[in-house]
Amino acid sequence: MTLNKTWLAATAGALALALAGGATAADISAGKLKALKTEAVAGVESRAKLAQVMNDKIFSFGELGFQEVETSAYITKVLEENGFTIQRGVSGIPTAWTATWTHGQGGPTIALGSDLDCIPKASQKPGVPWHDPIIPGAPGHGEGHNSGQALNVVAALAVKDAMIKHDIAGTLVLWPGVAEELVAGKAYMVRDGAFKGVDATIFTHVGSNLQTSWGPSTGTGLVSVKYSFHGESAHSAGAPWRGRSALDAVELMDMGWNMRREHLKPEQRSHYVITDGGDQPNVVPSEATVWYYFREQSFDAIKKNWEIGNKIAKAAADMTDTKVDYAVVGTAAPRYFNRPMAEAAQKNIEVVGLPKWTPDEQAFAKAVQTNVGSTKKEGLDVKLKGLKAPEEKPESGGSDDIGDISWIMPTITINYPSNIPDLPGHHWANAISMATPIAHKGVVAGSKVVAMTTLDLLTQPKLLAEAKTYFTDVQTKTQKYVPMLSASDKPQVQMNAETMARFRPEMKKYYYDPDKYGTYLEQLGIAWPVKQLTPPAQAK
């Protein structure tokens, strides 16, 4: 991947002259900014090895939500070694932190965020284009959350160098999306004031193109709730009349909700899993729990569906003579992104462009698409999709708790091309590329865009003012942020602890050691480029 050569030629020698005389953040011109961005891009490129090591190391940890212990310790160590001040245990979440670095007096505070956690049962050898888990049944990065913090750290260090060299005042804050797959971290950080004083946030998320958007986002917000029913045990054969089945209550709630679906708006998405259904068949279950996600496209609609769920849960308890209580696991606001920031980022995206994929990388991507039954088998994207404007009627779909942050300050998400298009999502297949040169190239491309956009915000007061005006006069003019957490809701930090305790001892054997191996592929003995693209008979 190379930057536009004309752009580089016009700016490569300009910086020393443009900044002669000690320019400040308030008076950096467009020409000086171009030169600064050229320096920052070079700073990212000089750290491509760090990006690869961080990406691969976090991939090898493969930690589920709230249990990102190794991941957070590693990232904060890198940042601390580079002069950032770390605050750990934010919002009572052991793996949540903020990393802050300031230069000079005043200046904007710009935050960079990305997620950490992985997917259950998604263990997968990178670079193998069919299902081949490192450890069967173990978690793995089947979405690609191993890559975003590598991207942000490299971008922040490149910007930090520019701020020091050219005396640009401001503050950089890095933070993690803990337990995003549970949608259970960011809203707590917002509620507890972790982002006070931040002027704008750039969030990064893995994708298959280099892209950003503005306005209301496709997808939904949600509330995630566990309903626990409490009954009375008894001998299922000897004296069932003496029992009150909590499992019966769970099943009645699920039937009630499924009957109600027909009479909800089609934009809603809702799902549940029974996390506790009893102990054994001959004992009437005295305890049972069902976990729901209620998704919708507006604050009011989310709360309405949640209230319906609560009503059905109470009715199920009444019918079975059991009791019910619930615990909020997490919430996500519908996402809404900032137009001036997105337009600035898009200009940088067009300068950086997509990575230059090799024929081997394209053949590999097409093989993965074929092997998992994708409808599209065109390989990696070779054309930018462009700035995504809001749709007249946004489609329903997934959620991300970056939505909560987007309602308290100007925010954008930048997607970067480290994954393969048209894969299932939340699936082992989405881990296949995530510790290969495909991911490494995508991380570097995204890091350049983030570094350049951060410099825009630090050195162009007009842009930041426009972003804040859009936030106050357009986004929040009639709709304000509606927190869905109460003061008494607590992060469910015990979640996934048993699963990680079961798998971590074996997973540790496969942690990436960059002192011994150039890449994680090398450590696993996987040759790149891949020659065998068709799965063996036993893998089909």
Side-chain angles (χ1 to χ4, degrees):
M1 183 195 64
T2 57
L3 292 177
N4 181 286
K5 288 183 168 54
T6 303
W7 188 88
L8 274 174
T11 60
L15 187 57
L17 292 173
L19 291 173
T24 66
D27 62 14
I28 288 179
S29 67
K32 296 173 185 177
L33 181 56
K34 275 190 176 183
L36 278 172
K37 289 181 180 180
T38 302
E39 268 196 10
V41 164
V44 169
E45 290 176 340
S46 72
R47 293 177 173 90
K49 180 60 179 177
L50 174 62
Q52 173 261 308
V53 168
M54 291 192 72
N55 177 89
D56 289 8
K57 200 165 182 68
I58 296 168
F59 182 95
S60 74
F61 294 145
E63 295 175 302
L64 292 167
F66 288 127
Q67 307 305 318
E68 309 99 334
V69 178
E70 302 277 9
T71 301
S72 284
Y74 170 62
I75 297 168
T76 54
K77 182 174 184 290
V78 172
L79 288 166
E80 211 159 26
E81 289 172 348
N82 282 277
F84 283 74
T85 299
I86 310 299
Q87 180 183 352
R88 295 177 171 86
V90 173
S91 289
I93 303 172
T95 55
W97 44 268
T98 58
T100 305
W101 179 84
T102 299
H103 181 72
Q105 298 293 320
T109 297
I110 308 302
L112 309 180
S114 200
D115 298 324
L116 299 180
D117 57 332
C118 71
I119 301 290
K121 298 182 176 65
S123 177
Q124 171 66 28
K125 292 177 183 174
V128 176
W130 56 81
H131 193 205
D132 190 4
I134 298 172
I135 301 169
H141 275 288
E143 177 154 342
H145 285 175
N146 60 296
S147 53
Q149 288 291 338
L151 185 163
N152 286 351
V153 169
V154 166
L157 296 182
V159 171
K160 175 175 176 272
D161 285 350
M163 292 173 71
I164 294 171
K165 182 176 180 180
H166 303 293
D167 198 21
I168 299 169
T171 297
L172 302 176
V173 179
L174 277 73
W175 57 271
V178 170
E180 189 277 335
E181 300 300 350
L182 309 178
V183 214
K186 299 184 189 76
Y188 289 98
M189 295 175 72
V190 169
R191 183 193 67 182
D192 298 339
F195 302 101
K196 283 184 179 177
V198 177
D199 292 292
T201 286
I202 300 172
F203 187 69
T204 54
H205 197 284
V206 65
S208 57
N209 205 286
L210 193 55
Q211 188 178 26
T212 192
S213 64
W214 62 272
S217 176
T218 291
T220 57
L222 67 75
V223 62
S224 167
V225 191
K226 283 191 171 183
Y227 294 91
S228 295
F229 292 85
H230 314 282
E232 188 70 41
S233 64
H235 193 302
S236 296
W241 54 86
R242 298 182 66 174
R244 299 193 303 278
S245 174
L247 178 58
D248 286 351
V250 163
E251 292 186 295
L252 283 167
M253 179 180 180
D254 294 344
M255 286 192 292
W257 183 260
N258 288 333
M259 293 300 100
R260 190 62 184 266
R261 285 180 199 267
E262 180 184 357
H263 309 289
L264 299 175
K265 291 184 177 180
E267 292 78 19
Q268 75 86 26
R269 297 285 188 273
S270 52
H271 344 273
Y272 59 82
V273 292
I274 299 173
T275 58
D276 179 6
D279 299 304
Q280 57 192 59
N282 65 332
V283 178
V284 173
S286 61
E287 302 289 331
T289 299
V290 62
W291 181 12
Y292 271 78
Y293 278 13
F294 300 109
R295 304 186 197 250
E296 249 286 6
Q297 292 185 306
S298 71
F299 290 105
D300 287 345
I302 295 165
K303 295 186 80 171
K304 180 180 178 180
N305 285 1
W306 181 16
E307 289 166 0
I308 293 170
N310 290 345
K311 186 176 181 179
I312 291 173
K314 183 180 183 303
D318 288 344
M319 284 188 285
T320 53
D321 199 19
T322 60
K323 295 181 180 180
V324 64
D325 54 54
Y326 68 79
V328 175
V329 176
T331 71
R335 290 160 285 175
Y336 198 120
F337 296 127
N338 190 268
R339 183 171 186 172
M341 285 175 61
E343 290 174 343
Q346 182 62 33
K347 292 177 182 178
N348 297 323
I349 286 170
E350 290 167 3
V351 170
V352 172
L354 286 167
K356 304 301 181 185
W357 309 115
T358 67
D360 285 325
E361 289 162 352
Q362 286 287 18
F364 177 79
K366 291 175 183 178
V368 173
Q369 291 171 331
T370 298
N371 294 341
V372 301
S374 298
T375 56
K376 298 178 182 178
K377 303 178 179 65
E378 300 167 358
L380 302 164
D381 285 354
V382 295
K383 184 178 179 181
L384 290 172
K385 290 185 176 180
L387 179 63
K388 187 175 180 181
E391 299 175 9
E392 184 176 343
K393 185 173 176 56
E395 293 182 5
S396 186
S399 313
D400 192 317
D401 47 2
I402 188 60
D404 290 79
I405 294 169
S406 77
W407 283 96
I408 64 167
M409 73 179 77
T411 301
I412 58 170
T413 291
I414 294 174
N415 298 112
Y416 51 94
S418 288
N419 219 313
I420 297 169
D422 202 40
L423 299 185
H426 291 183
H427 191 268
W428 53 262
N430 291 76
I432 288 175
S433 72
M434 290 311 305
T436 72
I438 293 170
H440 304 151
K441 288 181 177 181
V443 165
V444 169
S447 190
K448 291 176 181 179
V449 174
V450 169
M452 295 164 77
T453 308
T454 303
L455 285 170
D456 285 327
L457 293 165
L458 286 169
T459 65
Q460 302 296 295
K462 182 181 177 183
L463 171 61
L464 195 55
E466 288 172 348
K468 291 182 177 181
T469 297
Y470 180 87
F471 178 78
T472 57
D473 294 355
V474 179
Q475 178 183 344
T476 60
K477 183 177 181 180
T478 57
Q479 174 66 67
K480 306 298 183 184
Y481 178 49
V482 180
M484 290 180 282
L485 293 177
S486 72
S488 60
D489 290 324
K490 295 181 180 179
Q492 302 292 300
V493 297
Q494 78 286 350
M495 293 180 70
N496 292 320
E498 291 183 7
T499 301
M500 288 307 304
R502 184 164 75 252
F503 285 107
R504 197 187 297 276
E506 186 67 16
M507 293 172 70
K508 282 184 175 180
K509 300 175 184 178
Y510 297 93
Y511 285 177
Y512 173 44
D513 185 350
D515 293 331
K516 293 183 179 179
Y517 302 96
T519 66
Y520 195 42
L521 290 176
E522 181 186 340
Q523 179 169 325
L524 295 175
I526 299 169
W528 188 273
V530 176
K531 300 303 181 185
Q532 183 178 348
L533 300 177
T534 303
Q538 65 270 22
K540 291 183 179 178

